[in-house]
Amino acid sequence: MRLPDMTRPTADAVESRLTYTDGASRTVFATEVEVPFPEGRLIVSRTDLDGIITHANDAFVELSGWLRDELIGKPHHILRHPDMPKVAFKDLWNTVSEGKKWHGYVKNLRKDGSYYWVYATAVPNIRNGQIAGYTSVRRKPSRTRIDELIPVYRQWLDQEKEKTAS
Ligand SMILES: Cc1cc2nc3c(=O)[nH]c(=O)nc-3n(C[C@H](O)[C@H](O)[C@H](O)COP(=O)(O)O)c2cc1C
């Protein structure tokens, strides 16, 4: 599903062209502005089997910067930040599609180009013994763990870029 390109924010921003697993692509602008995870809140979304958003709680809507109507029916990669390596999401999808629970740190892109870190848990929703969709609940992340993971994610991303260049 083709998402519209972002408009260039007024703050300094790095332009990237993201190509998604479904073959669609879009231009995004990422700024260095971090929005802190709101204290005492949980961010919840649900998707169908293809990762299309079917539910977003108020905290998810507020932190993402999108309107609920703009999120429902869109692929969850609407939040993908250019600093996130694809391998992190491959691991998420491999885990939940096997019926298991996934945990991980995710840097998400807001509608205005700023970002927020979350500690996410994603689980399959089982109905009548079959996976019917997926739910993710995000909590306030540990700053120490984020600082440890930034260089790891950068290394994975560089390796992915080298692979596509060769
Ligand atoms: C329940 C669930 C929650 C997800 N939450 C996020 C998220 O918060 N941010 C994100 O970038 N991708 C999230 N994803 C992964 C996306 O579906 C997608 O795999 C990822 O953004 C990478 O995009 P691509 O696989 O289309 O290239 C989630 C997937 C599921 C099933």
Side-chain angles (χ1 to χ4, degrees):
M1 183 185 297
R2 177 88 169 80
L3 295 171
D5 290 336
M6 272 174 74
T7 41
R8 188 183 288 277
T10 41
D12 274 353
V14 176
E15 179 175 346
S16 316
R17 187 85 190 158
L18 293 182
T19 303
Y20 302 107
T21 310
D22 67 5
S25 58
R26 78 167 172 142
T27 298
V28 296
F29 295 93
T31 72
E32 284 305 314
V33 179
E34 178 168 9
V35 174
F37 192 98
E39 286 297 336
R41 314 261 324 248
L42 286 179
I43 294 175
V44 183
S45 63
R46 281 203 290 272
T47 74
D48 67 9
L49 292 173
D50 298 320
I52 304 295
I53 300 170
T54 54
H55 167 83
N57 76 345
D58 289 346
F60 181 96
V61 173
E62 286 164 32
L63 197 55
S64 73
W66 296 90
L67 299 174
R68 181 171 278 106
D69 281 357
E70 293 173 315
L71 291 167
I72 304 296
K74 297 290 183 346
H76 219 307
H77 65 216
I78 192 169
L79 299 184
R80 186 174 131 205
H81 194 283
D83 290 350
M84 280 300 293
K86 278 172 185 278
V87 68
F89 298 116
K90 217 182 238 177
D91 186 45
L92 181 161
W93 277 104
N94 286 344
T95 307
V96 293
S97 61
E98 282 176 10
K100 296 187 220 148
K101 188 189 274 194
W102 181 88
H103 298 280
Y105 276 75
V106 180
K107 182 178 184 177
N108 274 328
L109 183 69
R110 301 180 79 240
K111 186 179 181 180
D112 67 1
S114 57
Y115 68 90
Y116 59 97
W117 278 97
V118 299
Y119 176 62
T121 302
V123 292
N125 306 324
I126 312 287
R127 298 243 158 75
N128 303 322
Q130 302 265 31
I131 300 178
Y134 303 100
T135 299
S136 179
V137 179
R138 295 87 173 179
R139 288 158 216 281
K140 189 178 165 67
S142 141
R143 181 51 56 180
T144 313
R145 193 71 191 120
I146 292 172
D147 291 341
E148 286 168 359
L149 282 171
I150 287 171
V152 177
Y153 283 6
R154 193 171 300 137
Q155 199 186 350
W156 288 346
L157 200 62
D158 287 347
Q159 285 168 357
E160 287 170 6
K161 281 185 186 152
E162 272 169 33
K163 248 190 230 162
T164 36
S166 61

